[in-house]
Amino acid sequence: MKAIQKLGLGIFLLALLLFNALLFMGQFRLTEAQLQESVKQEHVEVLRQELQPMLGETYSSSFSFATDFNRLLDNYNEEQQRSQQWDRVIWDDYAFALARVASQGFVENNKLLLLFLTIIVGAAGALLYILPQYRGEPAGVKNNGVMFSSNKSRGVVGITIGVYLTAIYVLLYWYPEYIVNWALLVDPLSYTLSGGPASQWFLYGTIYTLAILVMGVRMFRKYKGNNYQLLRTASVMFFQLSFAFLIPEILVVLNLPWYDLKNIWPLDYDFFFEYSVASMLGSGSAGLFLFIWGILLIIVAVPLFTYFYGKRWYCSWVCGCGGLAETAGDPYRHLSDKSLKAWKVERWMVYPILVIITVITLLTIANYFTEFALLKQSTDMLHQWYGFLIGAAFAGVVGVGFYPLMGNRVWCRFGCPLAAYIGIVQRYKSRFRITTNGGQCISCGNCSTYCEMGIDVRWYAQRGQNIVRASCVGCGICASVCPRGVLKLENGPEQGRITDIPFLTGNESIKVLN
Amino acid sequence: MREPHATGDFCIRTPGRRIVIIGNGISGITCARHIRKRDSEAHITIISGETEHFFSRTALMYIFMGHMTYAHTKPYEDWFWEKNRLHLVHDWVTSINFEQKELQLQQQEPLTYDILILALGSKPNKFDWPGQGLQGVQGLYSYQDLQMMNDNTANCQHAVVVGGGLIGVEMTEMLLSRNIPVAFLVREEGFWRSILPKEESDLVMRHLREHHVDLRLNTELKEIRDDGTGRVSAVVTTAGEEISCQFVGLAVGVQPNIDLVRNTELVVNRGILVDQHFATNIPNVFAIGDCAEYRVPVPQRQSIEQVWYTGRMHGETLAHSLTHQPVKYNPGPWFNSAKFFDIEYQTYGMVPNRWKQPVDSFYWEHADGIIAFRAVFNGEDKRLHGVNGLGLRLRHEFFDQALRENWTVEQVLVKLDQANFDPEFSDRHHREMLQAYNEQFGTNLEPEKKEKKGLLSYFWR
Ligand SMILES: Cc1cc2nc3c(=O)[nH]c(=O)nc-3n(C[C@H](O)[C@H](O)[C@H](O)COP(=O)(O)OP(=O)(O)OC[C@H]3O[C@@H](n4cnc5c(N)ncnc54)[C@H](O)[C@@H]3O)c2cc1C
Ligand code: SF4
Ligand code: SF4
């Protein structure tokens, strides 16, 4: 490692340390006035009473603040429930909003400086580490020592990172009040973009995008000389930065709903839920356009593009989940399980999830058109459960938190209903395939090892068979790491795409007779 | 030599016959799998002392370099064998009684067979160099060799690799992946000059030097020196130069691993002698893969073929003979491939290292010096003999057809676009190559136009 890389790594780790330390800094003091501004009118009175012990108190961390708040609110709610006063229970989640307004002191007063010292300096440190990589080395496969690395082979470092990421996702989804200080950091950015304060989701989006950009640069270094990888990486970086990060904020400025124009149902599972539809249709003709656009993506873009280019057009060129997996997740791609059993589990998970979300969506729509006569409000419960189990726990916590444990495509492979839908199209009606180069395979296993989707590529390649699999996201890594040039991602005529050649090119003894 | 009749009643499908295969490499395993496909009743046993399960020998280097673990190199999952009733015996065969049809094993009970298939593989050559038995001196063939190499290089400051061929360059790459500097001794005037023409060899050598390989051409090993404790401390070349080192990789070729059957009724030469059906002189005993030597070689081929692909073809062919009807070994046009650090090499047909009239050659090299293409052909009728590609991927089926159908070099060059197997978005070179050919041979060839396809197909060209 060059000195400058060590420096970069050091800077990154210090920035990360400070970033984590921030959670324990600053003060929190909730005033009555703030309370009044932040909660619904009908709750002001109750909360003022219930939170009386807190008001004006100064807390030294968001943890003690949030703990007190939650305790007081829970006490109140439990009491109401015990006395069956259901309509008096407060379901709204005010913890994050109140912690935000209550914050003061060091973090609140130094947002810009701290933003710089943590996120910006951290990204710069990472780049210092990444940019000199492979400098002066010829282009080629850069997998030396992967299996000896503690980070990349489920060693102590890998497990630690996995636990850390998992913890962050748990906080983000279910305890955002504890990470209020992080959200404060990106306030300046949020005000610049959309004029409003940063939510935990804006914080998440910022870090997510930055992770794709910085680790995308790493891909550029690692796969230099490989145009397919370079273009593909540039594409996911572009779509994340523009479609997923900037454009939605601009839409908000234009008084339109926050909308990621490349997110497609059923990955975007709540697209047809009442509240989404209402917010789109309530935003005039531009909102209507967004709604129609979303529907066209599902029924036209997916089948059409998948027919011509395979699943890859979305999963490894456009999608945000794919974007993170292909950049930040690249060091962990070989950790996917290649066994036949894993393939079985995959099919028993991903297709049922597609069925479930389709049913939920259809019920929702039917309910909507029968003016809620069909199921009343009970679809809300389905939405909540799906959102909790699949949208948050699976896609987020397991999907990213488990990168260093189960590989970078756990969600895409086992959970993503959109991947399931596109996969079916790819398997049965597409021009895409991975062509095997005759008899050249030496069964070495590099392709299978580095397939993030856990496809046993070698199984097909060593038999001279093309690889046509629903799950293949067309990342092209199998073709890159193959030492014998056996694999080629291609779009071509459907005829002859799925082959089952019993004997390989090169042996005339048998072909003649068969 | 005269080709004797096919010996043995190998196409008779006695139900429940006991087929025993010694060797679980590519040839033995391919044979077993294909027998099982067509004969569900046979008792098939595969014996190997090296590893319990079949692994890819060609991937040994990647285990050392940390690209894969041993488990990744196994082409079939462990349940595969039981499911296909391929009985595995992890043991060494110590002797064979051909009379009694019985095998003695080192640890386990003796085994009897009706049909015996010898797929014993190779072992590294050694040339009686003084000091070749020292600790830290080794070849690379087996899984045990790999483990030994791991131990031997644990505290290595400097290494020497002897032998300018494929395993030599692999060992060099392996050592460099662990930041161990390597002096690479090559007897000839260029790397792999016994196979590669000069330009290809030069190109590869430039690349090796870019990877900081200390290439010593025209250099032969004379002796290996001891450090006083039984470990290697240096090598001395025939020119008298002493190179200090703590590891010596000997990669001077392999030979059939036939110690097991030497001095028995089985007729051997360098390898186990077989006819075109892989039958030995003893009925119902066959030999395939690296250890087999043809009494009469297939035209244009060596009498011993020591590559993965031929091992696989041997296995397929013999299995067909044993289950369906006897067929002669009839490989199609030769093909092979390798990788020299980052440069992939593919070859189809026959490209000699040197040639003379009427054989002619067309060679093109890209300006960046890491991509090259050669076509060797008959200078009179332009019929293609073979091609070499470096830094390029070439389509096997295309050249297989071109060679079988005796295309001319010009027919191939105008269609080269179709032969391309490089990843999408790679730079294309077929026009430049054709132009180079036109200039060199005074022709005026144009690339063949592909039939027009739908508009959208142009997006990914
Ligand atoms: C490092 C390396 C890299 C290579 N790379 C390539 C390449 O890129 N391309 C290519 O085409 N070829 C390559 N080769 C050559 C190729 O691997 C061999 O040609 C091929 O593996 C031979 O297969 P086989 O089935 O004949 O024998 P083997 O794979 O050698 O199998 C023979 C087995 O029989 C076992 N055996 C032998 N005697 C006994 C006994 N008495 N009792 C029990 N078991 C016994 C051995 O232990 C061994 O496991 C490479 C070889 C090496 C060593
Ligand atoms: S098969 Fe190849 S292209 Fe498809 S997902 Fe696996 S590594 Fe990527
Ligand atoms: S990486 Fe290439 S040679 Fe190795 S098993 Fe896969 S297709 Fe075959």
Side-chain angles (χ1 to χ4, degrees):
Chain A
M1 209 192 299
K2 293 168 198 137
I4 186 152
Q5 284 183 285
K6 284 192 185 145
L7 180 71
L9 192 61
I11 291 176
F12 173 78
L13 289 175
L14 282 177
L16 185 66
L17 196 69
L18 176 61
F19 184 68
N20 288 312
L22 280 186
L23 293 188
F24 305 93
M25 293 180 184
Q27 277 139 23
F28 294 83
R29 186 164 164 272
L30 188 65
T31 62
E32 246 186 75
Q34 287 170 332
L35 182 68
Q36 248 167 18
E37 268 170 38
S38 315
V39 303
K40 286 184 189 154
Q41 207 46 53
E42 67 257 37
H43 292 149
V44 172
E45 207 35 53
V46 186
L47 284 176
R48 191 173 29 216
Q49 261 175 29
E50 295 301 321
L51 299 181
Q52 200 56 51
M54 293 183 71
L55 293 179
E57 272 312 295
T58 306
Y59 291 87
S60 60
S61 79
S62 59
F63 293 95
S64 44
F65 178 86
T67 315
D68 257 10
F69 172 81
N70 287 336
R71 183 174 48 83
L72 294 173
L73 189 68
D74 285 351
N75 281 347
Y76 166 78
N77 279 342
E78 269 165 36
E79 220 166 89
Q80 308 310 313
Q81 282 168 355
R82 224 173 299 127
S83 53
Q84 311 261 329
Q85 309 244 28
W86 297 109
D87 49 331
R88 303 195 52 180
V89 176
I90 297 179
W91 298 108
D92 300 68
D93 194 356
Y94 288 129
F96 179 79
L98 291 178
R100 254 204 78 100
V101 291
S103 88
Q104 48 173 244
F106 181 62
V107 182
E108 177 72 28
N109 300 335
N110 295 292
K111 286 179 190 168
L112 211 51
L113 176 72
L114 290 172
L115 172 68
F116 177 78
L117 286 179
T118 54
I119 296 182
I120 297 175
V121 168
L127 285 174
L128 267 188
Y129 175 74
I130 287 165
L131 282 170
Q133 275 182 338
Y134 315 117
R135 187 129 289 171
E137 285 177 39
V141 177
K142 307 288 182 217
N143 285 335
N144 284 348
V146 167
M147 298 297 158
F148 311 138
S149 153
S150 172
N151 177 19
K152 297 172 194 171
S153 286
R154 299 189 187 109
V156 180
V157 177
I159 293 174
T160 310
I161 294 179
V163 170
Y164 178 70
L165 289 175
T166 307
I168 287 191
Y169 270 92
V170 170
L171 290 177
L172 181 73
Y173 279 110
W174 298 299
Y175 304 100
E177 58 272 26
Y178 295 129
I179 55 170
V180 144
N181 277 350
W182 287 349
L184 291 176
L185 281 187
V186 288
D187 254 359
L189 186 61
S190 178
Y191 277 109
T192 317
L193 283 174
S194 62
S199 66
Q200 76 266 38
W201 300 116
F202 182 79
L203 162 81
Y204 178 54
T206 310
I207 293 182
Y208 195 99
T209 307
L210 210 55
I212 289 185
L213 295 180
V214 171
M215 291 300 274
V217 174
R218 174 184 168 279
M219 293 291 283
F220 290 157
R221 298 303 304 152
K222 183 170 176 190
Y223 294 98
K224 67 176 177 178
N226 185 329
N227 288 348
Y228 185 78
Q229 297 305 332
L230 300 184
L231 283 168
R232 186 172 74 79
T233 305
S235 172
V236 290
M237 288 162 82
F238 165 79
F239 277 104
Q240 176 62 32
L241 181 61
S242 56
F243 279 54
F245 187 64
L246 295 177
I247 295 177
E249 299 298 330
I250 295 172
L251 290 178
V252 172
V253 176
L254 298 177
N255 259 328
L256 289 167
W258 190 102
Y259 184 65
D260 176 354
L261 285 157
K262 61 165 179 49
N263 202 358
I264 308 177
W265 179 92
L267 173 60
D268 185 11
Y269 59 88
D270 62 0
F271 183 80
F272 290 107
F273 292 176
E274 302 92 45
Y275 55 86
S276 312
V277 178
S279 95
M280 282 185 281
L281 297 187
S283 308
S285 55
L288 186 65
F289 167 80
L290 295 181
F291 187 59
I292 294 172
W293 168 265
I295 293 174
L296 286 181
L297 284 180
I298 304 162
I299 58 176
V300 180
V302 165
L304 198 68
F305 286 135
T306 309
Y307 173 71
F308 282 110
Y309 312 123
K311 191 178 188 175
R312 54 184 174 163
W313 80 267
Y314 192 73
C315 293
S316 63
W317 284 74
V318 172
C319 177
C321 304
L324 192 73
E326 294 292 350
T327 52
D330 178 74
Y332 306 113
R333 55 170 50 254
H334 53 281
L335 297 174
S336 59
D337 190 339
K338 315 302 185 307
S339 66
L340 195 65
K341 205 167 133 200
W343 185 15
K344 274 195 192 130
V345 173
E346 169 191 321
R347 282 175 295 175
W348 276 105
M349 288 184 74
V350 76
Y351 297 114
I353 290 177
L354 173 61
V355 171
I356 289 170
I357 186 60
T358 308
V359 169
I360 292 179
T361 304
L362 290 175
L363 284 177
T364 307
I365 295 172
N367 203 23
Y368 182 79
F369 280 109
T370 55
E371 290 177 354
F372 302 96
L374 186 64
L375 288 161
K376 308 273 169 345
Q377 296 305 322
S378 59
T379 50
D380 286 354
M381 203 182 64
L382 290 177
H383 299 170
Q384 269 165 17
W385 273 103
Y386 186 88
F388 169 73
L389 282 177
I390 308 295
F394 202 160
V397 179
V398 177
V400 181
F402 284 24
Y403 273 9
L405 308 175
M406 294 172 70
N408 55 336
R409 286 278 193 176
V410 178
W411 159 248
C412 312
R413 179 183 180 194
F414 295 100
C416 177
L418 178 59
Y421 166 35
I422 308 182
I424 294 170
V425 181
Q426 161 158 296
R427 174 66 184 74
Y428 294 104
K429 194 72 196 162
S430 170
R431 291 163 55 84
F432 172 75
R433 89 291 310 274
I434 303 176
T435 308
T436 294
N437 199 10
Q440 287 281 21
C441 174
I442 53 170
S443 301
C444 69
N446 275 298
C447 51
S448 298
T449 305
Y450 287 92
C451 175
E452 54 192 353
M453 296 306 283
I455 298 172
D456 191 357
V457 184
R458 164 174 56 191
W459 174 269
Y460 306 88
Q462 66 190 355
R463 308 167 60 192
Q465 210 173 338
N466 290 347
I467 296 105
V468 178
R469 278 277 292 266
S471 62
C472 171
V473 291
C475 65
I477 296 294
C478 54
S480 305
V481 298
C482 172
R484 293 294 178 273
V486 176
L487 305 164
K488 178 167 163 58
L489 281 67
E490 285 187 306
N491 311 308
E494 280 177 90
Q495 190 201 2
R497 172 173 171 258
I498 301 176
T499 50
D500 194 10
I501 314 163
F503 295 98
L504 289 158
T505 315
N507 194 359
E508 302 284 302
S509 328
I510 303 159
K511 229 188 302 181
V512 176
L513 279 154
N514 258 359
Chain B
M1 214 189 281
R2 206 172 49 83
E3 180 76 12
H5 290 299
T7 40
D9 48 353
F10 51 79
C11 50
I12 298 169
R13 300 180 51 167
T14 326
R17 57 194 170 157
R18 288 162 302 175
I19 302 177
V20 173
I21 302 173
I22 308 181
N24 68 351
I26 181 66
S27 55
I29 291 296
T30 308
C31 191
R33 278 178 41 238
H34 284 273
I35 293 174
R36 177 52 83 223
K37 274 190 198 169
R38 286 175 181 270
D39 181 349
S40 58
E41 284 170 42
H43 295 286
I44 305 176
T45 303
I46 307 166
I47 312 173
S48 173
E50 186 181 3
T51 52
E52 184 183 358
H53 298 108
F54 170 45
F55 74 100
S56 179
R57 193 172 302 294
T58 54
L60 279 176
M61 65 182 293
Y62 299 110
I63 302 177
F64 189 88
M65 290 163 62
H67 293 205
M68 286 189 276
T69 62
Y70 166 69
H72 289 118
T73 67
K74 293 195 259 187
Y76 301 95
E77 287 184 63
D78 291 351
W79 50 258
F80 178 87
W81 310 106
E82 204 183 299
K83 175 161 177 269
N84 289 289
R85 287 172 296 116
L86 298 169
H87 182 57
L88 303 182
V89 175
H90 184 191
D91 203 347
W92 294 102
V93 178
T94 50
S95 68
I96 307 174
N97 185 336
F98 291 107
E99 201 83 338
Q100 306 283 323
K101 300 194 167 190
E102 192 179 79
L103 308 174
Q104 295 296 328
L105 301 181
Q106 202 173 58
Q107 316 264 333
Q108 303 176 29
E109 295 296 299
L111 277 174
T112 52
Y113 63 84
D114 299 316
I115 292 175
L116 180 65
I117 299 170
L118 300 166
L120 304 171
S122 305
K123 61 179 188 182
N125 282 336
K126 287 202 174 179
F127 290 122
D128 290 326
W129 284 295
Q132 69 181 15
L134 291 171
Q135 216 195 325
V137 182
Q138 66 164 106
L140 174 64
Y141 188 84
S142 66
Y143 184 65
Q144 284 73 24
D145 290 341
L146 185 82
Q147 289 175 316
M148 185 164 44
M149 186 163 166
N150 204 29
D151 299 341
N152 277 339
T153 53
N155 294 307
C156 180
Q157 306 300 314
H158 194 262
V160 169
V161 171
V162 184
L166 293 180
I167 297 185
V169 75
E170 286 191 2
M171 282 182 110
T172 305
E173 184 174 357
M174 290 160 75
L175 292 161
L176 282 170
S177 80
R178 295 199 181 176
N179 296 318
I180 300 171
V182 184
F184 188 18
L185 312 193
V186 176
R187 192 177 58 183
E188 291 78 18
E189 74 276 19
F191 169 73
W192 214 27
R193 273 297 268 135
S194 55
I195 302 289
L196 291 180
K198 181 167 187 313
E199 287 81 2
E200 282 92 322
S201 173
D202 286 348
L203 187 154
V204 173
M205 287 195 290
R206 278 200 308 272
H207 184 66
L208 295 188
R209 293 197 170 105
E210 211 184 335
H211 274 284
H212 313 293
V213 178
D214 176 9
L215 256 175
R216 311 282 182 100
L217 304 178
N218 299 307
T219 304
E220 270 187 77
L221 177 66
K222 196 169 117 209
E223 64 168 288
I224 305 169
R225 294 233 168 114
D226 193 339
D227 71 348
T229 68
R231 271 202 71 96
V232 53
S233 68
V235 299
V236 181
T237 68
T238 43
E241 192 190 348
E242 184 173 313
I243 306 170
S244 97
C245 59
Q246 295 77 43
F247 177 83
V248 178
L250 296 178
V252 287
V254 295
Q255 65 187 78
N257 175 25
I258 55 167
D259 294 341
L260 176 65
V261 293
R262 234 183 262 283
N263 306 321
T264 62
E265 304 96 291
L266 197 71
V267 179
V268 300
N269 180 34
R270 281 197 296 143
I272 301 167
L273 285 174
V274 295
D275 64 12
Q276 290 183 0
H277 296 88
F278 301 104
T280 65
N281 65 306
I282 301 176
N284 289 321
V285 177
F286 303 88
I288 50 175
D290 278 24
C291 68
E293 176 177 348
Y294 314 122
R295 287 204 171 85
V296 182
V298 181
Q300 298 226 353
R301 294 213 166 209
Q302 307 285 320
S303 59
I304 305 180
E305 297 181 308
Q306 289 155 322
V307 290
W308 185 263
Y309 310 115
T310 50
R312 197 173 57 196
M313 286 190 244
H314 292 181
E316 280 172 4
T317 312
L318 177 61
H320 196 273
S321 295
L322 288 172
T323 52
H324 197 56
Q325 54 177 304
V327 283
K328 287 184 180 163
Y329 177 52
N330 177 24
W334 172 257
F335 68 97
N336 200 2
S337 63
K339 193 172 183 186
F340 313 113
F341 284 77
D342 304 312
I343 297 190
E344 287 169 25
Y345 156 77
Q346 292 181 336
T347 187
Y348 298 101
M350 285 316 194
V351 180
N353 57 348
R354 295 179 177 83
W355 52 89
K356 46 182 187 291
Q357 290 284 329
V359 177
D360 209 343
S361 152
F362 161 68
Y363 179 77
W364 168 88
E365 194 175 293
H366 189 266
D368 66 11
I370 51 169
I371 304 175
F373 175 81
R374 180 187 300 279
V376 172
F377 51 95
N378 183 322
E380 278 151 19
D381 60 9
K382 304 267 176 189
R383 197 162 60 82
L384 185 72
H385 288 182
V387 297
N388 276 347
L390 283 169
L392 279 179
R393 293 178 172 182
L394 301 169
R395 213 176 271 268
H396 189 175
E397 263 149 27
F398 178 90
F399 287 102
D400 194 65
Q401 185 187 8
L403 290 160
R404 273 189 291 108
E405 296 177 358
N406 290 318
W407 293 9
T408 66
V409 63
E410 300 184 350
Q411 272 174 295
V412 167
L413 283 174
V414 296
K415 287 192 215 299
L416 215 51
D417 191 26
Q418 294 166 38
N420 183 298
F421 205 73
D422 279 334
E424 293 158 312
F425 302 114
S426 300
D427 298 334
R428 295 271 178 145
H429 309 291
H430 58 283
R431 286 172 185 281
E432 206 186 315
M433 287 185 210
L434 194 61
Q435 190 161 353
Y437 181 88
N438 281 337
E439 277 166 27
Q440 207 176 321
F441 292 88
T443 47
N444 220 338
L445 304 171
E446 284 284 318
E448 199 175 273
K449 290 259 180 321
K450 286 222 287 184
E451 74 271 39
K452 277 249 185 298
K453 282 195 278 169
L455 184 67
L456 281 154
S457 66
Y458 285 100
F459 279 78
W460 290 83
R461 299 301 308 168

